Amino acid sequence: MGQSPRDLDPTVSLLHFFGAEVRRRRCLLGLSQAALGRMLFQHRDLVRKIEAAERMPTKEFVERCDEVLDAHGALLGMWPMLERERSLRSANDAMVYRSEAADRSVLDWLLFEPRHLRPAATTSGSALPGVHALAQLRQRDHAEGGGATYSDVINLLDTDDTDLVGGALELAGYQAVDLGADGVAQLHYLRALDLAVASGQRLYGGYLIAVSLGHLALHCGDAQQAARLATAALRGSASLASPGVSAAFRLVLARAHARRGDKAACCTALLQADADLARRDPADEPAWISYFGEAEVADEKAHCFFDLGWYEPAQREATRAVALLNPCRVRRLGIDTALLASALARAGDLEQACVQARHAVDLAVRTASFRAAHRVAMMLAELHRHRDLPAVHEVAEYAFARSADLSPAAYATVHRPSSTAR
């Protein structure tokens, strides 16, 4: 007797989504696992394991599956995300994200007590062109994604201005995350943290720990590390942090608690963040936190509520974030719109979920962004169980038809760091 197919939840991971999509397309063609295996020149047991998310496919398997199952790029478009997932599970990949890699730098930051903490950084006239260039690259990054600007940011690291280098490293780390190169992102962030410690910028160091490294840990599925980082930053900067900075730190902590399913701790952190925000005076906040406004707060809350399974509040906050975002923030609009579609799907409002899903795809394809593509893929995973409905089938095929635009070749440009990476 043949084995009964293992039930799959496509929302667990891209590997589960890939397996579910291979199974769906195989069944539509009336193929058995053995028949598909013969067409792929593989054993049927390998097909079974991949469909059951028990085995990571190779690129060759994905390419051949895409061809044999007439997927027209839909399966191949998942490969960059599958490759990243493989790296996160690998113990032998030197360039993958590792939570313990931050321990030394975070401890140095906690223990370092300079006699005089540096005031807000000032920039000499000779460095202003670099500062303006960095600001312009940040704007382009929001609109076009990391793949469009990463190499230009790396070029700014070749300077003696430590403030400019620190800012460029933080942006380079953010962009490396955006391109699916988590280990490279971690190296950039840690070098920026080391510079902040060396130059006495303690509060900015706390920001790099809680917000930059904390969000990276969340992106890599390490909620426990994200909670530790945010907690360390809050305690290590308690006497220095402005209300806005404290709120940003607490929202990362809330995200970590939500990802771990700790509703009480998440709600406590959110209430504390709201109390901080009520005391905030933008004029007294550091320049590097000036971007942090109501749209960012709504985004963080929407992710918290979605992870906790509170889909109506998640819809409300995601809608609010989208409404408040500047239209030039194309990547963030795509990510939050995809989150809104996912929340609508979970709540059973499939008609509106499909409307928002198509909009999310249209936004995501305008950017060279792994994060946007990943969020769209997970949105499609939410809709996968409803593929028998015409509206869902239509939007899924629309997204798959544009899968090549969601997988820019720029992802590969940061998988091996340059000598400036650390």
Side-chain angles (χ1 to χ4, degrees):
M1 293 180 61
Q3 298 184 36
S4 299
R6 174 185 172 185
D7 289 337
L8 279 177
D9 181 354
T11 67
V12 170
S13 71
L14 257 297
L15 181 60
H16 285 73
F17 183 29
F18 179 80
E21 188 62 18
V22 168
R23 179 184 291 172
R24 187 187 72 83
R25 291 179 179 273
R26 173 179 63 77
C27 292
L28 282 176
L29 294 175
L31 297 172
S32 65
Q33 291 177 337
L36 178 58
R38 287 192 295 271
M39 296 172 74
L40 298 174
F41 308 109
Q42 300 288 347
H43 195 277
R44 67 179 181 183
D45 194 53
L46 177 63
V47 175
R48 180 190 65 77
K49 288 180 178 179
I50 288 176
E51 286 189 359
E54 296 173 359
R55 180 82 173 266
M56 185 68 67
T58 63
K59 185 176 184 181
E60 291 73 22
F61 184 96
V62 175
E63 290 174 339
R64 185 69 176 147
C65 250
D66 192 273
E67 178 183 352
V68 166
L69 296 176
D70 296 325
H72 304 291
L75 296 176
L76 188 56
M78 297 186 196
W79 172 249
M81 289 166 270
L82 288 168
E83 185 179 31
R84 171 182 175 265
E85 200 163 295
R86 177 202 58 77
S87 294
L88 286 173
R89 299 179 183 202
S90 173
N92 300 316
D93 190 338
M95 290 316 306
V96 76
Y97 163 85
R98 299 184 187 284
S99 61
E100 67 274 11
D103 291 349
R104 180 193 62 78
S105 293
V106 174
L107 185 60
D108 287 346
W109 175 82
L110 282 169
L111 296 178
F112 184 61
E113 297 181 4
R115 294 180 180 178
H116 301 288
L117 293 173
R118 272 190 53 186
T122 57
T123 304
S124 64
S126 62
L128 284 176
V131 173
H132 291 320
L134 184 60
Q136 291 175 345
L137 288 170
R138 286 188 187 278
Q139 292 177 355
R140 281 188 60 201
D141 172 71
H142 289 315
E144 302 173 31
T149 54
Y150 178 78
S151 60
D152 293 328
V153 174
I154 292 299
N155 290 337
L156 291 179
L157 298 179
D158 188 19
T159 176
D160 294 329
D161 188 299
T162 57
D163 293 326
L164 179 58
V165 170
L169 282 167
E170 184 273 331
L171 179 55
Y174 188 76
Q175 292 180 321
V177 175
D178 198 38
L179 295 175
D182 308 307
V184 179
Q186 188 176 40
L187 293 175
H188 287 319
Y189 285 150
L190 291 177
R191 187 180 173 207
L193 177 56
D194 290 344
L195 285 177
V197 170
S199 57
Q201 298 182 74
R202 185 168 182 83
L203 186 56
Y204 183 62
Y207 171 84
L208 291 167
I209 291 169
V211 177
S212 298
L213 288 166
H215 275 131
L216 174 61
L218 286 170
H219 184 59
C220 294
D222 194 349
Q224 185 174 358
Q225 174 71 349
R228 286 196 296 261
L229 291 168
T231 300
L234 282 164
R235 293 180 180 176
S237 61
S239 62
L240 300 171
S242 62
V245 172
S246 291
F249 292 4
R250 293 190 197 282
L251 285 169
V252 177
L253 183 60
R255 287 277 303 274
H257 289 317
R259 190 71 63 83
R260 297 165 67 189
D262 191 335
K263 297 179 180 180
C266 176
C267 289
T268 297
L270 288 176
L271 288 172
Q272 291 172 335
D274 284 340
D276 287 332
L277 291 168
R279 298 185 294 108
R280 178 177 55 170
D281 182 350
D284 294 333
E285 296 290 336
W288 41 261
I289 200 71
S290 61
Y291 74 92
F292 186 73
E294 292 302 314
E296 285 71 28
V297 174
D299 167 82
E300 299 281 24
K301 288 183 176 180
H303 280 89
C304 285
F305 296 147
F306 184 84
D307 287 341
L308 289 174
W310 297 342
Y311 301 121
E312 289 187 6
Q315 292 173 43
R316 181 182 67 245
E317 293 298 336
T319 300
R320 184 164 171 263
V322 169
L324 291 171
L325 280 166
N326 188 310
C328 71
R329 300 282 299 276
V330 178
R331 178 183 53 217
R332 175 52 59 189
L333 281 167
I335 291 172
D336 284 345
T337 302
L339 178 63
L340 174 57
S342 296
L344 287 163
R346 285 286 180 106
D349 190 348
L350 295 175
E351 181 178 351
Q352 280 303 308
C354 289
V355 171
Q356 295 299 331
R358 181 178 285 264
H359 188 205
V361 172
D362 289 339
L363 288 163
V365 297
R366 291 167 55 188
T367 68
S369 168
F370 176 94
R371 286 193 302 141
H374 187 272
R375 173 50 71 180
V376 165
M378 295 313 297
M379 172 193 74
L380 295 175
E382 294 288 348
L383 292 168
H384 190 273
R385 69 192 68 184
H386 306 290
R387 281 295 296 268
D388 57 327
L389 299 178
V392 174
H393 179 77
E394 181 181 346
V395 76
E397 290 303 305
Y398 176 74
F400 284 138
R402 307 199 69 180
S403 59
D405 297 323
L406 285 168
S407 301
Y411 294 165
T413 62
V414 290
H415 284 177
R416 290 293 178 268
S418 67
S419 59
T420 59
R422 181 74 166 134

